[in-house]
Amino acid sequence: MLLLTKAIFAIMIGFLISVVLGLVIIPFLKKMHAGQKISIFVGETHRKKEGTPTMGGLIFIISTVAATVGLIITNKISYTSNLGIVLLVFLGYACIGFLDDFLSIRKGNNEGLTAYQKLFMQVLIAIGFFYIYMRSGGQTALVIGTLHIDIEMGWLYGLFILFVLVGSSNAVNLTDGLDGLAGGLSAIAFIAFSLISLIVGFEDIGIFSLILVGSLLGFLIYNTYPAKVFMGDTGSLALGGVMGAIAILTHRELTLLVVASIFVIETLSVIIQTFWVQVFHKKLFLMTPIHHHFEKLGWQETDIVKLFWVCGLILSMAGIIFGVWL
């Protein structure tokens, strides 16, 4: 009962702080002229979104960190090395995204950091994660209990961590293309990881995940169609990075592939499209990431988001089963 009370309180405090912060941050972003520049390659339905404030990820980032720190200070949850790592990854990838968004706004176009600059910073954080993880006694084996698989990877686990963190952060970033899409899918994924974490004994990570769920739900009040604010790279890179970190810390790396399947599919659509154009000199999809393919087919934006949310929910439910039995 105490754990259930903590869980409910975590969601509520994240939600309330996020809603209040939205009332403050969105007008501030408008005042700072932090408007999103829309790519010329997207359809006319997106052109009307030009100027919508970006960097809205600050809403759920600040609320999540503030609520977590507040609960630690008031001894409602205990500070652990895992919780410290999660917060560092969350803030580290948020800083990369913030810098990217800031440069885009300053340049007056949709180009902030170069792909290589962004990748370099992401890799640095992944290396830092691996160092702290090993210093805190982290395992370097890939374990799948139900299949009796226990693969000791040694230093190769560092490369694996790099792949998971960079891959997951960029996957959420690619998915952030429709109002409420990445935010809603992330909330669903973190509900799954919170339940898995609590069931298998990672209460600290479970409570953090629930705070983030509440913060995302508060953010979605402003981000669902028609969006009053976009999360920007500030939010999407932070969400993807911390999702990967939680999967690693709870030893549920393969579960991430199930829970985050929609993000994976979005990323694969871009990779497949690039390969198809290079080899066959024509497009396989009308536009990627794949949510834009549905737009080109004539689907309404809200219908695409609802479909992806439902699929994400079903896959997350499967991920919970897989993650608990892993």
Side-chain angles (χ1 to χ4, degrees):
M1 184 60 70
L2 178 59
L3 184 58
L4 178 61
T5 302
K6 282 185 180 180
I8 295 171
F9 183 70
I11 295 176
M12 287 179 61
I13 192 171
F15 176 79
L16 291 173
I17 295 175
S18 183
V19 170
V20 172
L21 274 177
L23 297 174
V24 176
I25 290 178
I26 294 174
F28 175 77
L29 292 174
K30 288 180 178 179
K31 186 177 180 180
M32 294 293 103
H33 304 290
Q36 176 71 52
K37 299 298 179 182
I38 304 299
S39 171
I40 60 173
F41 299 107
V42 297
E44 286 300 317
T45 55
H46 285 264
R47 299 302 300 173
K48 62 184 180 182
K49 299 181 182 182
E50 183 91 31
T52 301
T54 188
M55 293 196 288
L58 290 171
I59 295 171
F60 58 79
I61 291 167
I62 295 173
S63 59
T64 300
V65 173
T68 303
V69 172
L71 291 179
I72 291 172
I73 292 173
T74 56
N75 294 316
K76 294 294 188 296
I77 58 173
S78 301
Y79 176 79
T80 63
S81 59
N82 278 347
L83 197 53
I85 293 172
V86 164
L87 287 170
L88 284 174
V89 171
F90 192 45
L91 291 172
Y93 278 95
C95 287
I96 297 174
F98 181 85
L99 180 58
D100 189 37
D101 287 334
F102 176 78
L103 291 175
S104 295
I105 293 166
R106 189 173 182 180
K107 292 177 181 179
N109 54 39
N110 207 31
E111 299 176 2
L113 294 169
T114 66
Y116 290 111
Q117 288 172 331
K118 195 182 296 185
L119 180 62
F120 176 72
M121 293 180 186
Q122 290 173 312
V123 169
L124 280 182
I125 293 176
I127 293 172
F129 174 96
F130 182 59
Y131 175 76
I132 299 172
Y133 175 76
M134 293 304 298
R135 287 293 296 263
S136 61
Q139 70 173 37
T140 56
L142 185 63
V143 179
I144 309 175
T146 51
L147 300 179
H148 305 290
I149 295 175
D150 189 342
I151 305 172
E152 177 55 50
M153 300 179 68
W155 65 269
L156 286 174
Y157 194 72
L159 293 178
F160 181 65
I161 283 177
L162 188 152
F163 176 78
V164 172
L165 291 181
V166 174
S168 59
S169 63
N170 284 315
V172 177
N173 185 233
L174 286 171
T175 306
D176 183 31
L178 300 178
D179 295 356
L181 180 59
L185 286 172
S186 295
I188 292 168
F190 283 111
I191 289 173
F193 272 114
S194 68
L195 292 174
I196 293 169
S197 300
L198 293 173
I199 291 171
V200 301
F202 293 92
E203 182 179 322
D204 50 352
I205 294 178
I207 296 300
F208 171 86
S209 298
L210 288 171
I211 293 171
L212 182 50
V213 168
S215 299
L216 282 167
L217 292 176
F219 172 72
L220 284 170
I221 289 177
Y222 308 106
N223 183 241
T224 48
Y225 185 87
K228 299 178 180 64
V229 68
F230 299 141
M231 69 169 67
D233 282 12
T234 304
S236 59
L237 291 182
L239 290 174
V242 79
M243 195 181 298
I246 288 173
I248 294 166
L249 292 171
T250 57
H251 315 304
R252 296 299 185 276
E253 300 92 339
L254 297 184
T255 302
L256 179 65
L257 291 176
V258 183
V259 172
S261 291
I262 300 299
F263 297 116
V264 173
I265 292 168
E266 291 269 31
T267 305
L268 286 176
S269 71
V270 175
I271 295 172
I272 293 170
Q273 181 87 315
T274 302
F275 171 80
W276 209 265
V277 170
Q278 292 277 344
V279 175
F280 300 105
H281 307 292
K282 62 179 181 180
K283 293 180 178 180
L284 177 62
F285 303 106
L286 296 176
M287 188 175 179
T288 56
I290 200 168
H291 57 258
H292 288 312
H293 174 79
F294 286 95
E295 279 194 295
K296 295 292 185 181
L297 289 175
W299 285 46
Q300 293 297 312
E301 180 173 347
T302 51
D303 292 334
I304 299 169
V305 172
K306 285 185 286 187
L307 172 65
F308 279 41
W309 281 5
V310 170
C311 292
L313 178 60
I314 294 170
L315 290 164
S316 287
M317 290 167 66
I320 292 170
I321 297 172
F322 183 75
V324 172
W325 287 354
L326 188 65

